[in-house]
Structures are given as structure tokens and as C-alpha cells.
Amino acid sequence: MNPEKNKLNINIPPELENQVAITTLDKIYNWSRASSLWPMMFGLACCAIEMIITAASRVDFSRFGMEVMRPSPRQADVMIVSGTVTKKMVPQIVRLFNQMGEPKYVLAMGACASGGGPFKEGYNVVSGIDKFLPVDVYIPGCPPTPQALLHGLIILQKKIEKEKLSDAEWYKKDFYEEIPVPILGPDLIDPRKYHLFKKILQSADEVTVEESDAKGEEA
Amino acid sequence: MEEHTLVSHVPEFDALFPEKVKLDTRPGFSGFIVPSEFLLEFSKEIRDSWGYDILSSITGVDYFPESMEVVYHLYRSLGGGALVVKVQIPRDDAIVPSLFSIFAGAEFQEREAWDLLGIKFEHHPDLRRILMWEGYEGFPLRKDWKEAYYEEDAKPFASRWPEGVAEHSEKKNIFGDNVKFPDNFDPEDWVASGEEALYLGLNKSGKSKDLDTEMLIINLGPQHPSTHGVFRMAALLDGESIVDLKPAFGYLHRNHEKIGERNTFLQNMPFTDRLDYISSMSNNFSYALAVEKLMGVKPPERAEYIRVIMAELTRIASHFMSTGFLLNDLGAFFTPALYALKERELILDVFEAVSGSRMMCNYFRFGGVVRDLPSGIPEAIRNLAFKRLPAKVDELDHLLTDNEIVRSRCMGIGVLTGEEAINLSATGPILRASGVPYDIRRADPYSIYDRFEFNIPVLYHGDIYDRYLIRIEEMRQSVRIIQQAITQIPEGPIFEGRSQYQVKVPAGEAYGRVEAPKGELGFYVVSNGQPNPWRYHVRAPSFINLTSLRTMCLNQKVADVVAILGSIDIVLGEVDR
């Protein structure tokens, strides 16, 4: 909002001087979005405690317009994935993400949400939420301190401020981005990877065919 | 015959039941081996005639390739040491009778042993998987079961040490993720078994007969602001009252036990922090006690005092938090919690100064603590213990205890009688609010708790209000302990022996338990002399306390369930492990 700009060619009536500012639509749109981010009240593990502390009096992220934490995904803008993503929980997380309205952002808080963390080798642990959801900001730490989370949220605000309405995907025609919900099978099945199962089955068939051929030759 | 038997004295059951009960004579092991067909009769006998009424822990150990073992730890509610009972069963036909009919607290623990080790408990009312989902392939804690990212049996892995070459495990997996499927698995043929079993298991008989109404099943969680994390329960409602309720677990099952068997003993210490992530010092304490029992080391005086101070500060922090969040659940959204969290921050500052981390302290070592109190911290603790905390506990008490809404929402709601509490293996504030004065710091003293003067608060209504009052009073008693400890703390070393990355732990078993803020926290560790534990089991208080949730909730209103859950004070990291 540069006052110099107002002095150029635009005729402002004297009663409105110093009361009207001219800016771009992008700027005002992004400014209002970035300074009223509503995170989803959604805690997974240890990091959720630090997330609560970030909301509490000592750090207090309401100074940045984020105090309205909503448990319903329909009312939230940011999903803070605060903790270990387990295979049993990931279908629900994906479903919650799908239910959030655009524009929506994902913050991977802590080592577990970013890449599995200390529990990566565990049989019920997903190696990071980015295997399923598009992550905007990763916050390192185990758990990250409240200050680190705040920093991550400010980075996200900066990212939002750089966006443009003209290429915002969610206003485009036919924009539909729903992530297929994983299925709990003998292990976690990602519906986007069905072709890999086919490939394994085919190669197994080939091997058995080759084996039977070899046996036939021997006989 | 002499009537005065010491409560700490374990009777010689092998002599009392010759040819049936045998003493466990393996070096480093203790307890009694009972044949599985005699187990039910024996447990009834030891409960009714010998007073072992608390079934504290049930777990299994896979002694691959020979046999499986189910291990029971029992205690007297009057106090004293453990009675360890073991049942040995073959691996391929692992069946033992369920103790549910004698100790209702066995319910979830037996389901867990079935889920992770594949031990079948006959006549269990609801033997389903508990931490993993129905349909999951294999029993993960069996030694011959390998996970998707399996690299080697024991850490440190040869690929990472000493050169330190790490590779992404995803690259070695065809799916690029932590998954593994049986051979020839076709996902298009897969029919998910769903959750019918959970819903069908709900008991409809408690419905009122006066009106012809339709019942409703509602799910609370796993994403719900009142469930303190990713906990879930399915409730059967008749109007607004609860006819039956079943918790569903596993949404934060992080495989502590499987990872713990691969880690070295010391590597497990930071993992214990992440069990009950609100009170990491207590977790450290319990695990250190278990391994110290195996190693036969005793920490020096100063370390013992530091440990007690840290454990009691943790208790205060945890109770502050649980009181604040109980009020959240009652609808006082975040104002009381903010008061409580402010004091917790001051305690976390002490933790950060001594250990370098606010929440995940990783501060205890086998034979002491990792570093001494830095300068200024004894004064900070003294200031907290003598000035700040007593005043703030009084303030919380003053603001909440006589509050009209707190009283009418909490009094007489979620009642658990003393008998029920003991039978359901409840521990901690829940047990003491039901009139059972059982606190491990007095009942089976560990560390140097026998030197301090403090009371064990007991109340008799067993409702939410009493549980809340117990926590307030326990904070005052913890402040008393810290006041004594910080005044008496001697100078001296803080670690026994030489500090080392790879501790030598002789073969054997040990069960270390402490009175954690939530109840009895126990670690059952089996070593075979290797650098890694053979079995590492966590007896998690909030998991086992949840066994009593159903009893507390029956015939209550659905809005009270939230408050009852808040009064149990669960932490999901510990519930699901």
C-alpha cells in the first residue's frame, strides 16, 4: 500500500483522501488469508502437546491470527500433522484432508510426520505424511519447540503471500483433487499403487512359468 | 500356626502345590511355572487365599525357537513385592485359558498378547486384535516375523557403523513405502473386514424396557477434540444414556516393543520418553530401575535425590495438565488449562536446563543420571517448591474445587467401587479415589522414597470429583517431597561406574515399576546377555486404566463420557505404545 501511487493519475475526491488505499487484489486477498489461518484441532502424538503450548499464553500464536482452532475439517485452512502417522490412522487423516475446503495447506510437524522419525522402522508407521498428502512446510525437531512451530507457520504465511489468484488451482474449472483413501488390508494398501501389485503378480507368474518350463525340460 | 505373614513375603507355592507348580530355576529368572490346565484354579487360589488381588501385567515372551511363555505379575493390594507366574506353551499351538473371569483387568492385556504374539486365550469374551486391525497379516512380536524395513536383528546395523552409511529404506522396497504383502496378493480381491466385529460386540441387554426405543451406535474419535489424542470409542446409546461402550485402540501404535527389541539397552531410553510424553522423567525412571535390577548397579546418593526431584516435578506437571484438560472436557474451554499450562512451563524450564529438552528428557542412565544440576537450577527448584507451586496449587484448588459447575458435573458421575477398581487392575489416582490406599512409593518402595515424609491421599466416592481432588492433593504431597529432597540433597557423584554406550546386561528378567502420574508404570525386560533386550514390554498405566472405562460409563449420559475419559487421564502415546 504505497501512498506514492495514489498521487499519480487517479482522481481522489478530497473527502476520501487518507482514507482510501489502492492495492492489488492478490495482495489484499493473500494478506487476509495469511493473517487468519485457522488450523485444524487435530493432534496425533507428542507434537500435539507442543502445539497446545504454542496456543497457550507463553508463545500464543493468536498474535498471528491463528487462534481459532477448529476440530471440524470443513472450517479449517491448515492441517498441522502433529505426530507419528500410523497405518491405522492414515485413512482417517486422508479423509480429513479431503474434507477440508480449498485452499488448504499441510504442515508436517516434527520428525515423524516429516519422514517417520525415530519410529520409521515400525511395522505400523507410515514414513512421513508426504507419502499421501502434499506437504507445504516441514518443521524439524522431535518434538519441535513451540518457537519452531511458530516459525513454520510464519513460513507458511509467507508462502501464501506469494500466491496469485490468476494461477490458483482451486479456482480453475474441473479442479478436483481428492486423494484416494488408503485401505487396511494385510498391510496398508495405497490405491494409487495397484499397478505395482499387477507387476508383482505378473512377474511371479513368469517365474512359475519359467520354473515349470525348466522342470519340463528336465523331465 | 503363626498368623503374621509379612506382606512382602511370597509363599512357596512350589511346596504348596507339589508336582503342579515349579520354581523357575533358570539363572536370572524367578517366579513359578504353572501348567496351563492348572492356571485358572491356581489364580483363584492365590487371589482368594493368598491375597494377590491385583493382576498388574500380562505379557508374552517368544523364546524362539523353543517355546512361548505367558508372564503374569500379581500384587497384593496391601503392598509388597511381585508374584510372578509363568505358563509355558508350544509356539505353534499357543493356547492358555483366559483369566478374564477372575481378573477383569486381563481383558485388554490378553487381547494385546493375542494381537502381537498370537497367543490364544480360551474363553476370552472378545478376543479381537486390539492395536493392529482385523485382517493384518502376522503376529509382529514373534521373533520369526520380519517387518517391511527389516535390515538386521540387532542394532547398530553393520551398514551404518562404523562407516556411517545410511540408505533410505524406501529405496529397497518395491512399493517405496513401509509395506509388505503376502505372496500373490491381489488387492482387487481383498474385502476389508471392517468393524462389524466391534459393533456386534456391543452388549444390547442393558437397554431400558419401559419404552420401545431404537438404539444408536456413535463413534467418538479418533479425530475428536475430547479424546485427548487419537483415541476412539464406540458407544451404544439408548436416548442419551450409554448402554454399552467399547474403546478402540491402535491409532498411535508406534511399535515401541518391536523397535525396543532391536535397539540396544541404552538406545531404548529416548524411546521411553515418547511413551507418556507428558511425564518422560517417570518413564525414564521405571526403565532405568528395570535394567539396573538386571545389571545389579545402584545409583549414588546424589543421583537418587535428583531422580526423585525430577519424578515428582513430572507428577506435578502431569497433574496440572490433566486437571486443566479435565476442565476443558467439562466445557470451561481453555481458561483453566491456560493457568495450569503456565505452571507446567516453569517445570519444563527446569527440565530443559538439566536435560537439554523440554519434553523428551532422556535424562536417566543405568546407574545415575546423565549430568548434574547446572548452576542456578537448585535455586529455581527451591523457588518452585517453597514459593510458586504451593501457591499455584492452592489457587487452582480455590478456583475449581468449590465451583458449582465442577461439583454438579463431577460428583457421583463415573463411579468405580474399590472392588471393581482392584478387579479391573486400575492403578494410580483412579484406584486411590475408589478408596484403596495403594501407591507403589509406599506399597513397594523403590529408590529412596522410604526416607521422605508424605501422605497417600485416599478418597472413597470413586467419582470424577474424587479423582480430581486426589490429583490436587497429590500435587501438594509431591511439593512436600521436593521440599525435603532439595534440602537434603548431598554433594557427590551422579553416576556409578564408567559411562558407556554399550552396557553389559547379564541374562535374566526384571520388572521395574514406579508410581507414575497415571498409575503403575512397569517395564518387563528380558535379557539373554546380548547388547539388545530379548523382550521389552511396557505395562502402561493409562492403557490398563481404560479397562475400567466401560464400567464407569454404563448408564451415564453421553456428555459425561467425555468428562469420565478426562478423569482417567490418558496419554495416547502410552495407551497404544
Side-chain angles (χ1 to χ4, degrees), chain B residues 99-162:
Chain B
L99 288 190
F100 177 75
S101 53
I102 302 167
F103 299 101
E107 187 183 354
F108 291 159
Q109 302 193 60
E110 286 184 343
R111 273 178 71 188
E112 187 195 307
W114 157 246
D115 185 2
L116 301 182
L117 281 150
I119 298 166
K120 220 174 208 144
F121 292 88
E122 269 184 321
H123 307 300
H124 187 284
D126 186 22
L127 196 63
R128 284 179 295 120
R129 281 192 175 260
I130 186 165
L131 297 177
M132 302 305 286
W133 58 89
E134 276 310 311
Y136 185 72
E137 178 81 9
F139 301 113
L141 279 184
R142 291 205 171 199
K143 291 281 176 182
D144 49 354
W145 189 92
K146 307 271 190 273
E147 57 265 75
Y149 282 171
Y150 175 78
E151 199 168 328
E152 267 177 73
D153 270 335
K155 282 178 188 167
F157 297 143
S159 64
R160 323 244 172 109
W161 190 85

Coordinates of all heavy atoms in Angstrom, one line a residue, chain B residues 99-162:
Chain B
L99 N -7.9 -65.4 31.9 CA -8.1 -65.1 33.3 C -9.2 -64.1 33.5 O -9.4 -63.5 34.6 CB -6.8 -64.5 34.0 CG -5.7 -65.5 34.2 CD1 -4.7 -64.9 35.1 CD2 -6.3 -66.8 34.9
F100 N -10.0 -63.8 32.4 CA -11.0 -62.7 32.5 C -12.0 -62.9 33.6 O -12.4 -62.0 34.2 CB -11.6 -62.5 31.1 CG -12.7 -61.5 31.1 CD1 -12.4 -60.2 31.1 CD2 -14.1 -61.9 31.1 CE1 -13.4 -59.2 31.1 CE2 -15.1 -61.0 31.1 CZ -14.7 -59.6 31.1
S101 N -12.4 -64.2 33.8 CA -13.4 -64.5 34.7 C -13.0 -64.2 36.2 O -13.8 -64.0 37.1 CB -13.9 -66.0 34.6 OG -12.7 -66.8 34.7
I102 N -11.6 -64.2 36.4 CA -11.1 -64.0 37.8 C -10.7 -62.6 37.9 O -11.0 -61.9 38.9 CB -10.0 -65.0 38.1 CG1 -10.5 -66.4 37.9 CG2 -9.5 -64.8 39.5 CD1 -9.5 -67.4 37.9
F103 N -9.9 -62.1 36.9 CA -9.4 -60.7 37.0 C -9.9 -60.0 35.7 O -9.4 -60.3 34.6 CB -7.9 -60.7 36.9 CG -7.2 -61.3 38.1 CD1 -6.7 -62.6 38.0 CD2 -7.1 -60.7 39.3 CE1 -6.1 -63.2 39.1 CE2 -6.5 -61.3 40.4 CZ -6.0 -62.5 40.3
A104 N -10.9 -59.2 35.9 CA -11.5 -58.5 34.7 C -10.4 -57.6 34.0 O -10.5 -57.3 32.8 CB -12.7 -57.7 35.0
G105 N -9.4 -57.2 34.8 CA -8.4 -56.4 34.2 C -7.5 -57.0 33.1 O -6.7 -56.4 32.5
A106 N -7.7 -58.3 33.0 CA -7.0 -59.1 32.0 C -7.4 -58.8 30.6 O -6.7 -59.1 29.6 CB -7.0 -60.6 32.2
E107 N -8.6 -58.2 30.4 CA -9.3 -58.2 29.1 C -8.4 -57.6 28.0 O -8.1 -58.3 27.0 CB -10.6 -57.4 29.2 CG -11.4 -57.4 27.9 CD -12.6 -56.6 28.0 OE1 -12.9 -56.0 29.0 OE2 -13.3 -56.5 26.9
F108 N -8.0 -56.4 28.2 CA -7.2 -55.7 27.1 C -5.8 -56.3 27.0 O -5.2 -56.3 25.9 CB -7.2 -54.2 27.3 CG -8.5 -53.5 27.1 CD1 -8.7 -52.3 27.7 CD2 -9.5 -54.1 26.4 CE1 -9.9 -51.7 27.5 CE2 -10.7 -53.5 26.2 CZ -11.0 -52.3 26.8
Q109 N -5.2 -56.6 28.1 CA -3.9 -57.2 28.0 C -3.8 -58.5 27.3 O -2.9 -58.8 26.6 CB -3.3 -57.3 29.4 CG -3.3 -56.0 30.2 CD -2.5 -56.1 31.5 OE1 -1.3 -56.4 31.4 NE2 -3.1 -56.0 32.6
E110 N -4.8 -59.3 27.5 CA -4.9 -60.6 26.8 C -5.1 -60.4 25.3 O -4.5 -61.0 24.5 CB -5.9 -61.5 27.4 CG -5.5 -62.0 28.7 CD -6.5 -63.0 29.3 OE1 -7.7 -63.1 28.9 OE2 -6.1 -63.8 30.2
R111 N -5.9 -59.4 25.0 CA -6.1 -59.1 23.6 C -4.8 -58.6 23.0 O -4.5 -58.9 21.8 CB -7.2 -58.0 23.4 CG -8.6 -58.5 23.4 CD -9.6 -57.4 23.3 NE -9.6 -56.8 22.0 CZ -10.3 -55.7 21.7 NH1 -11.0 -55.1 22.6 NH2 -10.2 -55.1 20.5
E112 N -4.1 -57.8 23.7 CA -2.8 -57.4 23.2 C -1.8 -58.5 22.9 O -1.2 -58.6 21.9 CB -2.2 -56.4 24.1 CG -0.9 -55.7 23.6 CD -0.1 -55.0 24.7 OE1 -0.7 -54.2 25.4 OE2 1.1 -55.3 24.8
A113 N -1.8 -59.5 23.9 CA -0.9 -60.6 23.7 C -1.3 -61.4 22.5 O -0.5 -62.0 21.7 CB -0.8 -61.5 24.9
W114 N -2.6 -61.5 22.2 CA -3.1 -62.2 21.1 C -2.7 -61.5 19.8 O -2.3 -62.0 18.8 CB -4.6 -62.4 21.1 CG -5.3 -62.6 19.8 CD1 -6.2 -61.7 19.2 CD2 -5.2 -63.7 18.9 NE1 -6.6 -62.2 18.0 CE2 -6.0 -63.4 17.8 CE3 -4.5 -64.9 19.0 CZ2 -6.2 -64.3 16.8 CZ3 -4.6 -65.8 17.9 CH2 -5.4 -65.5 16.8
D115 N -2.9 -60.2 19.8 CA -2.6 -59.3 18.7 C -1.2 -59.4 18.3 O -0.8 -59.6 17.1 CB -3.1 -57.9 19.0 CG -2.9 -57.0 17.8 OD1 -2.6 -57.5 16.7 OD2 -3.2 -55.8 17.9
L116 N -0.3 -59.2 19.2 CA 1.1 -59.1 18.9 C 1.9 -60.4 18.9 O 2.9 -60.5 18.2 CB 1.8 -58.1 19.8 CG 1.2 -56.7 19.8 CD1 1.9 -55.8 20.8 CD2 1.1 -56.1 18.4
L117 N 1.4 -61.4 19.7 CA 2.2 -62.6 19.8 C 1.4 -63.8 19.3 O 2.0 -64.9 19.2 CB 2.7 -62.8 21.2 CG 3.8 -62.0 21.7 CD1 3.7 -61.7 23.1 CD2 5.1 -62.7 21.4
G118 N 0.2 -63.7 19.1 CA -0.6 -64.8 18.6 C -0.8 -65.9 19.7 O -0.9 -67.0 19.4
I119 N -1.0 -65.4 20.9 CA -1.3 -66.3 22.0 C -2.8 -66.3 22.2 O -3.4 -65.3 22.4 CB -0.6 -65.9 23.3 CG1 0.9 -66.0 23.1 CG2 -1.1 -66.9 24.4 CD1 1.6 -65.3 24.2
K120 N -3.4 -67.5 22.0 CA -4.9 -67.6 22.1 C -5.3 -67.7 23.5 O -4.8 -68.6 24.2 CB -5.4 -68.7 21.3 CG -6.6 -68.4 20.5 CD -7.0 -69.5 19.5 CE -7.8 -68.9 18.4 NZ -7.5 -69.5 17.1
F121 N -6.3 -66.9 24.0 CA -6.8 -67.0 25.3 C -8.2 -67.6 25.3 O -9.1 -67.0 24.8 CB -6.8 -65.7 26.0 CG -5.4 -65.2 26.3 CD1 -4.7 -64.4 25.3 CD2 -4.8 -65.5 27.5 CE1 -3.5 -64.0 25.6 CE2 -3.5 -65.0 27.7 CZ -2.8 -64.3 26.8
E122 N -8.3 -68.9 25.8 CA -9.6 -69.6 25.7 C -10.6 -68.9 26.6 O -10.3 -68.6 27.7 CB -9.4 -71.0 26.1 CG -9.0 -71.9 25.0 CD -8.9 -73.4 25.4 OE1 -8.4 -73.6 26.5 OE2 -9.4 -74.2 24.7
H123 N -11.8 -68.8 26.1 CA -13.0 -68.2 26.8 C -12.8 -66.8 27.1 O -13.4 -66.2 28.0 CB -13.2 -69.0 28.1 CG -13.4 -70.5 27.9 ND1 -14.4 -71.0 27.1 CD2 -12.7 -71.5 28.3 CE1 -14.2 -72.3 27.1 NE2 -13.2 -72.7 27.8
H124 N -12.0 -66.1 26.3 CA -12.0 -64.6 26.4 C -13.2 -64.1 25.8 O -13.6 -64.6 24.7 CB -10.7 -64.1 25.7 CG -10.5 -62.6 25.9 ND1 -11.2 -61.7 25.2 CD2 -9.6 -62.0 26.7 CE1 -10.8 -60.5 25.6 NE2 -9.9 -60.6 26.5
P125 N -13.9 -63.1 26.3 CA -15.2 -62.7 25.8 C -15.1 -62.0 24.4 O -16.1 -62.0 23.7 CB -15.7 -61.8 26.8 CG -14.6 -61.3 27.6 CD -13.6 -62.4 27.6
D126 N -14.0 -61.5 24.1 CA -13.9 -60.6 22.9 C -12.5 -60.6 22.3 O -11.8 -59.6 22.4 CB -14.4 -59.2 23.2 CG -14.5 -58.4 22.0 OD1 -14.7 -58.9 20.9 OD2 -14.5 -57.1 22.1
L127 N -12.0 -61.8 21.9 CA -10.6 -61.9 21.5 C -10.5 -61.4 20.1 O -10.5 -62.2 19.1 CB -10.1 -63.3 21.7 CG -8.6 -63.5 21.7 CD1 -8.0 -62.7 22.9 CD2 -8.2 -64.9 21.8
R128 N -10.3 -60.1 19.9 CA -10.0 -59.5 18.6 C -8.7 -58.8 18.7 O -8.1 -58.6 19.7 CB -11.1 -58.5 18.3 CG -12.4 -59.0 17.9 CD -13.4 -57.9 17.6 NE -13.7 -57.1 18.8 CZ -13.4 -55.8 18.9 NH1 -12.9 -55.1 17.9 NH2 -13.7 -55.1 20.0
R129 N -8.2 -58.5 17.5 CA -6.9 -57.7 17.5 C -7.2 -56.3 18.2 O -8.3 -55.8 18.1 CB -6.5 -57.4 16.1 CG -5.8 -58.6 15.5 CD -5.1 -58.2 14.2 NE -4.3 -59.3 13.7 CZ -3.0 -59.4 13.8 NH1 -2.3 -58.5 14.4 NH2 -2.3 -60.4 13.3
I130 N -6.2 -55.8 18.8 CA -6.5 -54.6 19.6 C -5.7 -53.4 19.1 O -6.2 -52.3 18.9 CB -6.3 -54.8 21.1 CG1 -6.7 -53.6 21.9 CG2 -4.9 -55.2 21.4 CD1 -6.9 -53.9 23.4
L131 N -4.4 -53.6 18.8 CA -3.6 -52.5 18.4 C -3.5 -52.4 16.8 O -3.6 -51.4 16.2 CB -2.2 -52.6 18.9 CG -2.1 -52.5 20.5 CD1 -0.7 -52.7 21.0 CD2 -2.7 -51.2 20.9
M132 N -3.4 -53.6 16.2 CA -3.5 -53.6 14.7 C -5.0 -53.8 14.3 O -5.8 -53.9 15.2 CB -2.6 -54.7 14.2 CG -1.2 -54.6 14.6 SD -0.4 -53.0 14.2 CE -0.2 -53.2 12.4
W133 N -5.2 -53.9 13.1 CA -6.6 -54.0 12.6 C -6.9 -55.5 12.3 O -5.9 -56.2 12.0 CB -6.9 -53.1 11.4 CG -6.0 -53.3 10.3 CD1 -6.2 -54.2 9.2 CD2 -4.7 -52.7 10.0 NE1 -5.2 -54.2 8.4 CE2 -4.2 -53.3 8.8 CE3 -3.9 -51.8 10.6 CZ2 -3.0 -52.9 8.2 CZ3 -2.7 -51.4 10.1 CH2 -2.3 -52.0 8.9
E134 N -8.2 -55.8 12.3 CA -8.6 -57.2 11.9 C -8.1 -57.4 10.4 O -8.5 -56.6 9.6 CB -10.1 -57.4 12.0 CG -10.6 -57.7 13.3 CD -10.0 -58.9 14.0 OE1 -9.8 -59.9 13.4 OE2 -9.7 -58.7 15.2
G135 N -7.5 -58.5 10.1 CA -7.0 -58.7 8.8 C -5.6 -58.5 8.5 O -5.0 -58.8 7.5
Y136 N -4.9 -57.9 9.5 CA -3.5 -57.6 9.4 C -2.7 -59.0 9.4 O -3.1 -59.9 10.1 CB -3.0 -56.8 10.6 CG -1.5 -56.4 10.4 CD1 -1.1 -55.5 9.5 CD2 -0.6 -57.0 11.2 CE1 0.2 -55.1 9.3 CE2 0.8 -56.6 11.1 CZ 1.1 -55.7 10.1 OH 2.4 -55.3 10.0
E137 N -1.7 -59.0 8.6 CA -1.0 -60.3 8.4 C 0.1 -60.5 9.4 O 1.0 -59.7 9.5 CB -0.4 -60.3 6.9 CG 0.4 -61.5 6.5 CD -0.5 -62.6 6.1 OE1 -1.7 -62.4 5.9 OE2 0.0 -63.7 5.9
G138 N 0.0 -61.6 10.2 CA 1.1 -62.0 11.0 C 1.0 -61.4 12.4 O 0.2 -60.5 12.8
F139 N 1.8 -62.0 13.3 CA 1.9 -61.5 14.7 C 3.3 -60.9 14.9 O 4.3 -61.5 15.0 CB 1.7 -62.7 15.7 CG 0.4 -63.4 15.5 CD1 0.3 -64.7 14.9 CD2 -0.8 -62.8 15.8 CE1 -0.9 -65.3 14.8 CE2 -2.0 -63.4 15.6 CZ -2.0 -64.7 15.1
P140 N 3.3 -59.5 15.0 CA 4.6 -58.8 14.8 C 5.6 -59.1 15.9 O 6.8 -59.0 15.6 CB 4.1 -57.3 14.9 CG 2.7 -57.3 14.6 CD 2.1 -58.7 15.0
L141 N 5.2 -59.4 17.1 CA 6.3 -59.6 18.1 C 6.9 -61.0 18.1 O 7.8 -61.3 18.9 CB 5.7 -59.3 19.5 CG 5.7 -57.8 19.8 CD1 5.3 -57.6 21.2 CD2 7.1 -57.1 19.6
R142 N 6.4 -61.9 17.2 CA 7.0 -63.2 17.1 C 8.4 -63.0 16.5 O 8.6 -62.2 15.6 CB 6.2 -64.1 16.3 CG 4.9 -64.6 17.0 CD 4.4 -65.9 16.5 NE 3.4 -66.4 17.3 CZ 3.0 -67.6 17.4 NH1 3.6 -68.5 16.6 NH2 2.0 -68.0 18.1
K143 N 9.4 -63.8 17.0 CA 10.7 -63.5 16.5 C 11.0 -63.8 15.1 O 11.9 -63.3 14.5 CB 11.7 -64.3 17.4 CG 11.8 -63.8 18.8 CD 12.6 -62.5 18.9 CE 12.6 -62.0 20.3 NZ 13.4 -60.8 20.5
D144 N 10.1 -64.7 14.5 CA 10.4 -65.1 13.1 C 9.6 -64.2 12.2 O 9.5 -64.4 11.0 CB 10.1 -66.5 12.9 CG 8.7 -66.9 13.4 OD1 8.1 -66.1 14.1 OD2 8.3 -68.1 13.2
W145 N 8.9 -63.2 12.7 CA 8.1 -62.2 11.8 C 9.0 -61.0 11.5 O 9.6 -60.4 12.4 CB 6.9 -61.8 12.6 CG 5.9 -61.0 11.8 CD1 4.9 -61.5 11.1 CD2 5.9 -59.6 11.6 NE1 4.2 -60.5 10.4 CE2 4.8 -59.3 10.7 CE3 6.7 -58.5 12.0 CZ2 4.5 -58.0 10.3 CZ3 6.4 -57.3 11.5 CH2 5.3 -57.0 10.7
K146 N 9.1 -60.7 10.2 CA 10.0 -59.6 9.9 C 9.2 -58.5 9.2 O 8.3 -58.7 8.4 CB 11.0 -60.1 8.8 CG 11.8 -61.3 9.3 CD 13.1 -60.9 10.0 CE 14.0 -62.1 10.3 NZ 13.6 -62.8 11.5
E147 N 9.5 -57.2 9.6 CA 8.7 -56.1 9.1 C 9.3 -55.7 7.7 O 10.3 -56.2 7.3 CB 8.6 -55.0 10.0 CG 10.0 -54.4 10.5 CD 10.4 -55.0 11.8 OE1 10.8 -56.2 11.7 OE2 10.4 -54.3 12.8
A148 N 8.6 -54.8 7.1 CA 9.0 -54.4 5.7 C 10.4 -53.8 5.6 O 11.1 -54.0 4.7 CB 7.9 -53.4 5.2
Y149 N 10.7 -53.0 6.6 CA 12.0 -52.3 6.6 C 13.1 -53.1 7.3 O 14.0 -52.6 7.8 CB 11.9 -50.9 7.3 CG 11.3 -49.9 6.4 CD1 11.0 -48.6 6.9 CD2 11.0 -50.1 5.0 CE1 10.4 -47.6 6.2 CE2 10.5 -49.1 4.3 CZ 10.1 -47.9 4.8 OH 9.6 -46.9 4.1
Y150 N 12.8 -54.4 7.4 CA 13.8 -55.3 8.2 C 15.2 -55.2 7.6 O 15.4 -55.3 6.4 CB 13.3 -56.7 8.2 CG 14.3 -57.6 8.9 CD1 14.3 -57.7 10.3 CD2 15.1 -58.4 8.1 CE1 15.2 -58.6 10.9 CE2 16.0 -59.3 8.8 CZ 16.1 -59.3 10.1 OH 16.9 -60.2 10.8
E151 N 16.1 -55.0 8.5 CA 17.5 -54.9 8.0 C 18.4 -55.9 8.7 O 19.0 -56.8 8.0 CB 18.1 -53.5 8.2 CG 19.3 -53.2 7.4 CD 19.6 -51.7 7.4 OE1 18.7 -50.9 7.5 OE2 20.8 -51.4 7.4
E152 N 18.4 -55.9 10.0 CA 19.1 -56.9 10.8 C 18.4 -57.1 12.1 O 17.6 -56.3 12.5 CB 20.5 -56.3 11.1 CG 21.6 -56.7 10.1 CD 22.9 -56.0 10.4 OE1 23.5 -56.4 11.4 OE2 23.2 -55.0 9.8
D153 N 18.8 -58.1 12.8 CA 18.2 -58.4 14.0 C 18.5 -57.4 15.1 O 17.7 -57.2 16.0 CB 18.6 -59.8 14.5 CG 17.6 -60.9 14.0 OD1 16.5 -60.5 13.7 OD2 18.0 -62.1 13.8
A154 N 19.7 -56.9 15.1 CA 20.1 -56.0 16.2 C 20.8 -54.8 15.7 O 21.5 -54.8 14.7 CB 21.0 -56.9 17.1
K155 N 20.7 -53.8 16.5 CA 21.4 -52.5 16.2 C 22.7 -52.6 17.0 O 22.8 -53.3 18.0 CB 20.6 -51.3 16.6 CG 19.5 -51.0 15.6 CD 18.7 -49.8 16.2 CE 17.5 -49.6 15.3 NZ 16.5 -48.7 15.9
P156 N 23.8 -51.9 16.6 CA 23.9 -51.0 15.5 C 24.0 -51.8 14.2 O 24.7 -52.8 14.1 CB 25.1 -50.2 15.7 CG 25.9 -51.0 16.7 CD 25.0 -51.8 17.5
F157 N 23.3 -51.4 13.1 CA 23.4 -52.1 11.8 C 24.8 -52.0 11.2 O 25.4 -50.9 11.3 CB 22.3 -51.5 10.9 CG 20.9 -51.7 11.3 CD1 20.0 -50.7 11.1 CD2 20.5 -52.8 12.0 CE1 18.7 -50.8 11.5 CE2 19.2 -53.0 12.4 CZ 18.3 -52.0 12.2
A158 N 25.2 -53.1 10.6 CA 26.5 -53.1 10.0 C 26.7 -52.0 9.0 O 27.8 -51.5 8.7 CB 26.8 -54.5 9.5
S159 N 25.6 -51.7 8.2 CA 25.7 -50.7 7.1 C 25.9 -49.3 7.7 O 26.4 -48.5 6.9 CB 24.4 -50.8 6.3 OG 23.3 -50.3 7.1
R160 N 25.6 -49.0 8.9 CA 25.7 -47.7 9.4 C 26.9 -47.5 10.3 O 27.2 -46.4 10.7 CB 24.4 -47.3 10.2 CG 23.2 -47.9 9.6 CD 22.2 -46.8 9.2 NE 21.1 -47.5 8.5 CZ 19.9 -47.6 9.0 NH1 19.6 -47.1 10.1 NH2 19.0 -48.3 8.3
W161 N 27.5 -48.6 10.7 CA 28.5 -48.4 11.7 C 29.7 -49.4 11.4 O 29.4 -50.5 11.0 CB 27.9 -48.8 13.1 CG 28.8 -48.4 14.2 CD1 28.9 -47.2 14.9 CD2 29.7 -49.3 14.9 NE1 29.9 -47.3 15.8 CE2 30.4 -48.5 15.9 CE3 30.1 -50.6 14.7 CZ2 31.3 -49.1 16.7 CZ3 31.0 -51.2 15.6 CH2 31.6 -50.4 16.5
P162 N 30.9 -49.0 11.4 CA 31.4 -47.7 11.8 C 31.5 -46.6 10.7 O 31.7 -45.5 11.0 CB 32.8 -48.0 12.3 CG 33.2 -49.2 11.5 CD 32.0 -50.0 11.2

